[in-house]
Amino acid sequence: MKDTRRTRVVLGALLVVALAMITIDYRGGQDSPLSGLRGVGATVFGPVERASASVVRPVGNTFDAVTDAPGERRRADRLARQNQRLREQLRSSRLDQDRSAQLRRLLGTAGMGGYKIHAAQVISAGQSFEDTVTIDAGSRSGVKPDMTVMSADGLVGRVTRVGPATATVLLATDQTSSIGSRLEESKEIGITQGRGRRGLGRGGATPLRFQLLDAAAPIRVGQRIVTLGSQGQKPYVPGVPIGVVERIERSTSGLTRTAYVRPFVRFTSLDVVAVVVAPPKTDPRDAVLPPKPPPPPTPTPTATPSASKSPKAKPRRSKSPSTNPTRGD
């Protein structure tokens, strides 16, 4: 089709007519004089519009999905990172609450014994043949070798090596550990020694062995043991709870008596501990020991009605075998 002057005039006229019709229809609203013409157009061109839309829409959705995929991936990654951070915050909050509770118990125990302490956290366990752990407190915090280490439950061990920010603690369960100890109530003294591997080895539930120096001294199952204290209060301060006597055996020599002790501390789950940086002014003796649990109530026997009303029970108990001799007598 040639681009002539006449063609341009016709096209311009059609555009003017179309604009005029659109304006009239828009201004007329529901009462527009062109509403019938609009209905005819919808009837004629509606199926064509729907068919073209059904063809074009999947292509457009696919194109949108392809173009939006990097953004959706970034959004999913961002949400995953946010969830991970929230989970870590929740876990950290629970750990902080647990450690706060342990620290409060630890301060209460230290206060009863009069110990000046520096709190620390166990950050690693030794991998050698020794029973050791590493804590996050060192010389910068006033920690020195041969200081007592305790938890809220009792004795943990003693400091052996010290760095600027960390220290190594030899646990009471180590085979080279030797602790001067004393029985509660009787005050009899002895030596508590470790049996190795934090109670996971041959020590089992009793990874400590207590040797009473006086073989004739009384000792019983259930008695508790505390530290006796060392000369100069190093490496062990007095009065720190150690454990409970589980079983007793007598040595063949008869010079000492040996008892096996279940410690108060769980050496496989150490977390918050304290280094005793200054000993108590006086020996707390048994003051740091927790109160003993009340004994279980003993049932009182009651007489049954049948026993109390039986007429044959009394003559049978009072009858003497000598009054009625048998044929064998």
Side-chain angles (χ1 to χ4, degrees), residues 14 179 215 250:
L14 290 175
I179 307 162
R250 185 182 297 274

Side-chain angles (χ1 to χ4, degrees), residues 39-223:
V40 173
T43 303
V44 174
F45 297 104
V48 179
E49 184 180 1
R50 287 194 296 270
S52 60
S54 62
V55 174
V56 173
R57 187 179 295 111
V59 178
N61 292 340
T62 303
F63 180 77
D64 292 340
V66 172
T67 54
D68 293 342
E72 293 296 328
R73 177 64 60 84
R74 288 192 296 269
R75 182 172 178 272
D77 293 341
R78 185 172 65 254
L79 291 175
R81 289 193 298 269
Q82 290 177 355
N83 289 336
Q84 182 65 26
R85 284 196 298 269
L86 290 174
R87 283 194 294 266
E88 290 175 355
Q89 291 174 2
L90 180 61
R91 190 182 308 113
S92 177
S93 175
R94 290 174 179 173
L95 288 174
D96 290 342
Q97 291 177 359
D98 182 60
R99 286 168 181 163
S100 296
Q102 292 184 56
L103 184 58
R104 285 194 298 270
R105 292 183 58 230
L106 182 58
L107 292 174
T109 302
M112 286 189 295
Y115 310 118
K116 183 179 179 181
I117 63 172
H118 181 84
Q121 185 178 345
V122 175
I123 55 178
S124 66
Q127 301 298 323
S128 61
F129 293 103
E130 293 182 330
D131 281 2
T132 60
V133 294
T134 302
I135 59 175
D136 62 351
S139 58
R140 295 174 185 170
S141 304
V143 178
K144 299 177 181 179
D146 287 336
M147 282 185 169
T148 305
V149 180
M150 60 182 294
S151 72
D153 298 316
L155 181 68
V156 173
R158 62 183 177 91
V159 177
T160 54
R161 294 185 294 274
V162 179
T166 59
T168 301
V169 179
L170 183 72
L171 301 180
T173 55
D174 188 79
Q175 291 183 343
T176 62
S177 177
S178 183
I179 307 162
S181 311
R182 180 172 48 80
L183 285 172
E184 66 171 329
E185 299 172 355
S186 69
K187 316 304 180 189
E188 293 291 336
I189 62 175
I191 305 296
T192 300
Q193 295 175 318
R195 305 179 69 192
R197 296 191 61 189
R198 299 177 179 84
L200 299 177
R202 60 188 181 124
T206 55
L208 301 177
R209 179 174 57 244
F210 175 72
Q211 287 187 329
L212 195 62
L213 298 185
D214 184 0
I219 184 174
R220 67 180 187 277
V221 172
Q223 271 189 296

